[in-house]
Amino acid sequence: MTNRIGLFKKSWILGVAILLLQGCGSTKTLVSAEKASIIAKIDLINVVDDKVNVVLDPAAFATDTVSFFIPKTVPGTYSDDNYGKYIEQFKAIDYKGGELKVEKLDDNTWRIINAKDLDKINYWVNDTYDTEVEVSEPVFSPSGTNILKGKNFMLNLHGFVGYFDGLEEIPYSLEISAPDGLEPVTSLVKGIQDVNRPDTDVFVANRYFEVIDNPIMYSSPSTETFQVNDIAVTLSVYSPNGHFTAASLKAGMEKMMRGQKAFLGDINSTKHYTIILYLSNMDDEDAKGFGALEHHTSTVVVMPEQISKERLEEAIFDTVAHEFFHIVTPLTIHSNEIQYFDFNDPKMSMHLWMYEGTTEYFANLFQIQQGLISEEDFYQRLMEKVERSKTYDDSMSFTVMSKNILEEPYKKNYANVYEKGALINMALDIDLRELSGGEKGVLWLMKELSKKYGDSKPFEDDGLIDEIVAMTYPEIGEFFNVHVIGDTPIDYDAYWKKVGLSTTEQEQSTGYFFDGEIPYIDVDPANDNAIFVREGIQLNSFFNDLGAQGGDIIKSVDGKMTNLVNIRLLIGQSMNWDPDKEIVMVVQRGYKEITLKGKVGVPTLKVVNLVPIEGPSEQQKNLREAWLKG
């Protein structure tokens, strides 16, 4: 599942800114749910007040009432987003064209009375991108929706098409009317085109999950295709100001995915893969949650348009690498909770250590094994994950956290799945390599599990770890019991020693407000664009010496109120600050305003590096070689 919330859900807005249906009527036949089908019609031509009309035409019902749902949660997001909040003017229409009584039970549920007379339902959909600055917990952009008349439609279909209670497993037909000049990009299977309706695209899905598992983007075509072994890859780019094209990004993407396929070897769960890249212009009504959301044969990636090609390619490289590896887990290897996902009352799996942790680990490991990054780069990435993992509860059971991820205090620790989750897999990888004489690792384990399971064959959630232990070694069971099921932190130094590495600490120069291109501050669009000190990162000496903390809202600096304009000027001025300059910074911490004073000094950051030891043993050298080279 991944939306990489840990890295992207709070976008680095400041850094970017600075750098820079008709029914079938009474002709219906009463059929069983197993043979029924639903026609969903989406009108992208006649947009009204930035909303689109949707009509769902089901088969006839044999019950007096029926409930209709729009998802509360979708796979990969691990959050309650309540997409039904964006549905308006919901109507249930009978065969004579009159309205049936409808009871709205909650944000996402409508109960239709006299359902035996139901012909179709009709409603309007508002998009989520417009509201991201208005709500405290916005829908993560890659799982959100966009309605930009005549220019772009991001159809994450869980925001447009719902399901009837008990009919989640029946086929759907989507009929989407679109303006001239806008072309759809999706992995969804195309249906038979009606020659009398050239402006209407038809797509088919075997069940509701296939509908929401296949996003569609309509935009002016900027699409490239390339072949990676036996996988046909489509890259589609929406760049509102034309800064980027699919052609300009194709080469880097192709190189990266070739490396991924070489790393995976004979793991192959798809013959086609679609990358949908949406670039935001960063205005108040556009997407601001940067990252991606995985699907079985596609991913939606959202990034800012106002960055350099180099930075965009770097961000896409790591993000898509993570998303593509989800074809292994949870898209191939997953539990019943994932296979039979309840969109409105989800039961979560205990295995985020694998769904997200393994995927994030592979996204880094493949790069060192395929020669795309150096050993030093790989070590640095691991140490960054160690440092970031310390900002979360390191004594929290990972399986308990996963099972309860929609609730606090587990919810606020979610992003650790990308940090400690990856490190769990690193430790597991080294243990497996050591116990097998270098022959077996986490990739081997995933291959073995993928042979047993697949898209339609889930495992029992509480039996997976025992199964892994039976496949491997008793010591692996001890590792899981202590560090994954249990709450004992991992001793990373012990693992560095196994592979002949050690840590060293040094001071590194930074800017006052940036470490290279990584900002220490950000903007909260849901709080009147307030400037705040970022949480979950190591702060430099400038902020530490002042006594600033992550989450502090910067109200003023030297008597000047902070806003986007003033903070940009301040950052520019800071490049010429004298170390003896005195500064007064007023911050809001919770409900209190606190005045921080001190000299700006020379900003530094304590960095822990991972380096090879001198004179490693043969065992250490061999284990490191097996780990890094596979």
Side-chain angles (χ1 to χ4, degrees), residues 4 263 321-322 325 353-369 373 378 381-382 385 417-433 441-443 446 496 626-628:
R4 308 196 65 188
F263 172 81
H322 178 102
F325 278 129
W353 69 268
M354 180 177 71
Y355 302 145
E356 295 300 335
T358 302
T359 305
E360 178 65 9
Y361 178 59
F362 282 178
N364 289 276
L365 183 67
F366 98 95
Q367 296 189 52
I368 179 65
Q369 291 196 2
I373 59 174
F378 182 62
R381 292 181 180 210
L382 291 178
K385 290 189 176 298
V417 300
Y418 304 107
E419 315 301 347
K420 187 176 180 179
L423 295 168
I424 287 172
N425 280 268
M426 178 210 70
L428 180 60
D429 201 16
I430 293 174
D431 278 345
L432 284 170
R433 292 288 182 187
V442 173
L443 180 58
M446 293 300 112
W496 307 145
W627 173 44
L628 297 181

Side-chain angles (χ1 to χ4, degrees), residues 269-313:
S269 63
T270 183
K271 294 295 184 182
H272 56 92
Y273 196 81
T274 304
I275 302 165
I276 299 173
L277 173 59
Y278 179 97
L279 297 174
S280 169
N281 63 22
M282 297 294 295
D283 66 25
D284 285 347
E285 295 185 349
D286 210 345
K288 295 179 179 61
F290 304 136
L293 182 67
E294 89 280 357
H295 302 276
H296 277 72
T297 57
S298 64
T299 184
V300 173
V301 184
V302 178
M303 291 288 171
E305 188 183 42
Q306 300 92 327
I307 58 175
S308 67
K309 183 173 184 282
E310 182 181 19
R311 283 196 65 199
L312 179 62
E313 287 190 315

Side-chain angles (χ1 to χ4, degrees), residues 142-392:
S143 65
T145 58
N146 190 44
I147 299 171
L148 191 57
K149 185 176 181 179
K151 295 181 179 180
N152 177 274
F153 296 91
M154 178 61 75
L155 305 184
N156 272 304
L157 290 164
H158 49 257
F160 292 87
V161 180
Y163 61 96
F164 292 93
D165 190 20
L167 300 184
E168 299 93 325
E169 299 299 314
I170 69 170
Y172 274 70
S173 175
L174 304 182
E175 300 180 3
I176 304 176
S177 303
D180 289 341
L182 300 191
E183 298 293 335
V185 175
T186 183
S187 289
L188 200 58
V189 175
K190 274 215 165 190
I192 300 174
Q193 184 76 41
D194 186 343
V195 295
N196 296 316
R197 294 190 296 166
D199 63 353
T200 300
D201 299 303
V202 179
F203 302 93
V204 294
N206 290 320
R207 62 187 184 120
Y208 182 70
F209 180 81
E210 284 189 17
V211 175
I212 63 101
D213 191 44
N214 289 278
I216 307 172
M217 182 172 74
Y218 276 84
S219 62
S220 297
S222 180
T223 303
E224 293 287 330
T225 60
F226 53 90
Q227 198 76 20
V228 177
N229 292 30
D230 54 351
I231 303 176
V233 180
T234 299
L235 170 63
S236 182
V237 176
Y238 172 71
S239 181
N241 297 296
H243 294 174
F244 299 94
T245 63
S248 69
L249 300 172
K250 174 185 175 183
M253 189 69 67
E254 185 172 0
K255 179 180 179 181
M256 182 268 292
M257 295 193 73
R258 288 192 184 283
Q260 289 187 278
K261 189 64 180 75
F263 172 81
L264 288 176
D266 55 2
I267 294 181
N268 188 16
S269 63
T270 183
K271 294 295 184 182
H272 56 92
Y273 196 81
T274 304
I275 302 165
I276 299 173
L277 173 59
Y278 179 97
L279 297 174
S280 169
N281 63 22
M282 297 294 295
D283 66 25
D284 285 347
E285 295 185 349
D286 210 345
K288 295 179 179 61
F290 304 136
L293 182 67
E294 89 280 357
H295 302 276
H296 277 72
T297 57
S298 64
T299 184
V300 173
V301 184
V302 178
M303 291 288 171
E305 188 183 42
Q306 300 92 327
I307 58 175
S308 67
K309 183 173 184 282
E310 182 181 19
R311 283 196 65 199
L312 179 62
E313 287 190 315
E314 181 182 355
I316 296 173
F317 199 102
D318 287 337
T319 303
V320 175
H322 178 102
E323 303 309 321
F324 181 73
F325 278 129
H326 273 302
I327 68 173
V328 180
T329 182
L331 304 181
T332 298
I333 309 167
H334 56 258
S335 70
N336 285 298
E337 286 78 0
I338 303 296
Q339 179 74 20
Y340 306 108
F341 192 85
D342 189 329
F343 305 99
N344 287 76
D345 186 20
K347 307 297 185 293
M348 310 311 289
S349 169
M350 67 174 67
H351 298 296
L352 276 174
W353 69 268
M354 180 177 71
Y355 302 145
E356 295 300 335
T358 302
T359 305
E360 178 65 9
Y361 178 59
F362 282 178
N364 289 276
L365 183 67
F366 98 95
Q367 296 189 52
I368 179 65
Q369 291 196 2
Q370 297 301 311
L372 300 175
I373 59 174
S374 67
E375 286 188 25
E376 291 76 14
D377 290 335
F378 182 62
Y379 298 154
Q380 181 180 357
R381 292 181 180 210
L382 291 178
M383 291 312 300
E384 288 172 352
K385 290 189 176 298
V386 170
E387 290 302 315
R388 288 196 293 261
S389 72
K390 293 177 181 178
T391 66
Y392 302 98

Side-chain angles (χ1 to χ4, degrees), residues 531 533 543-562 583-598:
I531 312 298
V533 182
F543 284 104
N544 285 330
D545 291 349
L546 280 177
Q549 298 179 8
D552 284 352
I553 297 174
I554 304 175
K555 305 294 289 186
S556 68
V557 176
D558 287 341
K560 293 184 178 181
M561 301 297 291
T562 56
I583 193 172
V584 178
M585 182 184 293
V586 178
V587 302
Q588 181 179 324
R589 187 175 299 164
Y591 296 102
K592 297 181 179 180
E593 279 200 358
I594 302 173
T595 300
L596 309 175
K597 299 179 180 179

